[in-house]
Amino acid sequence: MCFRLNTASATDCSMSSGTDEDKEDDSPHGTVRKVPPTVPISRDRIPIVYRSEYGVKFLGLQKLHPFDAAKGGNIYRLLKQNGLIRNDEDVYAPDEITLEELLEVHTQRYIDSLKWSLNVAKIAEIPPLLFVPNCFVQRSYLRPMRYQTAGSILAARAALQSGHGWAINLGGGFHHCSADRGGGFCPYADITLTVKMLQASGNGIERILIVDLDAHQGNGYARDLMNDTGVFIMDMYNYRIYPRDHTAKLAIRRAVELKPHTDDEEYLRKLKHCLNQSLAEFEPNFIIYNAGTDILKGDPLGLLDITPEGVIERDEIVFRSALERSIPVVMLLSGGYLRSSARVIANSIVNLRDKALLPTVE
């Protein structure tokens, strides 16, 4: 592995930022950006990862998507209002992930397929995108996703190296994307990329527990990590909805299948029991927490009945379990298709601070 985290992209229009730092190259990808230094990890920063480029803004087409394209920005604003973040310099801002880094996991064929708007439209589930020139699709949809993907990797580094023991990416969690296939709004395999970075970090991360609490089965990284004995997947999901991937299910070490309209009491009881079992059995030294809020009651895609209070308690259970065992944890936001999701997530993060489950944050 040769990850150079948070470096600039080396591509054509599809992955170029168009900054003054660009220089021409005779590579098949056209424009190549100079490589800036890796974003440094500092104990003085709050281990929250975000930048304004996370938001998808595309001539109103984002409104056709059930996902709240401004969710990360709305959470960031609410965390500022609650005093958890004082200014932009308090947090980490990732640079766009490079083509080289993406190819550590993705196939060249898959990356090339994203140069066709039809293929991106299928992944994003926004049919009108197929009529849009790919240059605009890259800039307005895929580039924000590349920033979020880099954000997941950077957040894992911060959780591991800052001394805080935790980090939160206000985006990412693209758990339906694998090395050679995107889907379910997920164009890049940020979870697989994060796992590979951790394993190659030289920090002795040998046992990674993925706790996937999005309402949907996490089939992308599961396919990628099918034969990786250093990864334990605990996936808790509504088994009657997308993606129903029976092959990927073979990679799940502890599957917690939920019926539609599962409520707080049953959900939290099963979470506590199965998380404790997973921790005792695998004894991980890193946790990737995929914290989808599509479990909320009323979510049009998750079809579960968890209240905002249930989500807050869910996050508290995961973070408390990690803190009590001194296991670094990174939280990714994943799915959530209600406009109220941003406030629920912000309230949950503030609750984690108030319960002293985010060490060193005052």
Side-chain angles (χ1 to χ4, degrees):
M1 289 294 163
C2 55
F3 278 95
R4 293 182 296 139
L5 303 185
N6 309 302
T7 55
S9 297
T11 68
D12 58 2
C13 157
S14 67
M15 293 180 68
S16 171
S17 71
T19 67
D20 293 336
E21 295 182 344
D22 288 357
K23 63 179 181 179
E24 293 305 314
D25 188 90
D26 59 358
S27 73
H29 299 289
T31 302
V32 177
R33 286 176 55 191
K34 294 178 182 177
V35 177
T38 297
V39 175
I41 304 300
S42 169
R43 188 172 183 86
D44 296 330
R45 284 184 171 179
I46 300 169
I48 290 176
V49 179
Y50 170 76
R51 64 183 295 158
S52 60
E53 286 85 350
Y54 276 21
V56 175
K57 296 179 181 178
F58 197 72
L59 301 176
L61 280 180
Q62 69 272 14
K63 296 178 181 178
L64 300 177
H65 196 298
F67 194 81
D68 180 4
K71 183 169 73 171
N74 290 333
I75 297 166
Y76 189 75
R77 174 178 51 82
L78 290 166
L79 293 179
K80 274 190 165 182
Q81 289 177 4
N82 280 280
L84 197 148
I85 298 171
R86 294 179 297 275
N87 55 66
D88 293 344
E89 289 70 34
D90 283 346
V91 301
Y92 292 94
D95 290 314
E96 184 182 354
I97 194 168
T98 66
L99 174 65
E100 178 186 16
E101 290 162 351
L102 289 172
L103 290 175
E104 293 285 353
V105 165
H106 287 295
T107 64
Q108 184 69 59
R109 181 177 180 179
Y110 175 70
I111 295 298
D112 288 344
S113 76
L114 298 179
K115 296 177 182 179
W116 297 91
S117 296
L118 172 61
N119 294 330
V120 181
K122 290 177 180 178
I123 292 169
E125 299 188 16
I126 304 177
L129 281 184
L130 71 92
F131 301 111
V132 177
N134 189 258
C135 216
F136 294 103
V137 172
Q138 295 285 342
R139 183 183 308 159
S140 301
Y141 174 66
L142 288 176
R143 190 171 180 231
M145 300 298 103
R146 289 195 289 268
Y147 275 114
Q148 292 189 39
T149 296
S152 294
I153 300 169
L154 177 57
R157 282 184 58 224
L160 186 61
Q161 298 171 7
S162 69
H164 293 251
W166 64 273
I168 300 170
N169 182 22
L170 300 185
F174 305 137
H175 65 160
H176 297 308
C177 188
S178 63
D180 59 359
R181 183 172 63 182
F185 319 144
C186 301
Y188 298 112
D190 68 320
I191 295 177
T192 306
L193 283 157
T194 299
V195 167
K196 297 301 183 183
M197 181 280 292
L198 288 167
Q199 292 174 331
S201 68
N203 288 281
I205 303 302
E206 300 173 345
R207 299 182 307 282
I208 299 169
L209 171 63
I210 298 175
V211 179
D212 195 337
L213 302 185
D214 186 277
H216 299 82
Q217 177 195 353
N219 60 321
Y221 65 81
R223 283 177 169 267
D224 290 338
L225 304 170
M226 184 77 67
N227 300 311
D228 192 331
T229 58
V231 176
F232 186 109
I233 298 170
M234 174 188 155
D235 198 349
M236 192 166 170
Y237 58 92
N238 183 345
Y239 74 97
R240 293 186 181 173
I241 59 175
Y242 176 90
R244 297 191 182 99
D245 191 331
H246 298 293
T247 298
K249 186 179 173 181
L250 298 174
I252 303 174
R253 300 276 289 274
R254 181 152 284 109
V256 188
E257 296 191 331
L258 304 171
K259 295 179 180 179
H261 304 296
T262 296
D263 62 12
D264 283 7
E265 182 180 1
E266 179 182 353
Y267 184 92
L268 295 171
R269 174 174 49 81
K270 288 184 175 180
L271 170 60
K272 290 175 184 177
H273 176 70
C274 294
L275 180 57
N276 285 334
Q277 279 190 330
S278 300
L279 289 164
E281 177 181 340
F282 190 61
E283 298 183 346
N285 49 17
F286 198 95
I287 296 173
I288 297 174
Y289 172 34
N290 202 45
T293 46
D294 49 2
I295 66 171
L296 282 166
K297 184 174 183 178
D299 189 284
L301 301 184
L303 302 181
L304 297 174
D305 285 349
I306 309 306
T307 66
E309 294 75 19
V311 170
I312 290 171
E313 185 172 349
R314 174 198 72 170
D315 293 349
E316 186 177 326
I317 289 168
V318 175
F319 271 78
R320 189 180 301 281
S321 296
L323 181 63
E324 289 176 349
R325 295 166 175 82
S326 299
I327 305 171
V329 56
V330 63
M331 175 176 165
L332 313 176
L333 297 194
S334 202
Y337 309 99
L338 293 173
R339 299 297 171 182
S340 60
S341 282
R343 185 167 294 278
V344 173
I345 295 165
N347 288 343
S348 181
I349 295 172
V350 170
N351 175 70
L352 293 173
R353 178 199 62 183
D354 293 346
K355 296 288 180 66
L357 297 175
L358 300 182
T360 74
V361 174
E362 299 178 357

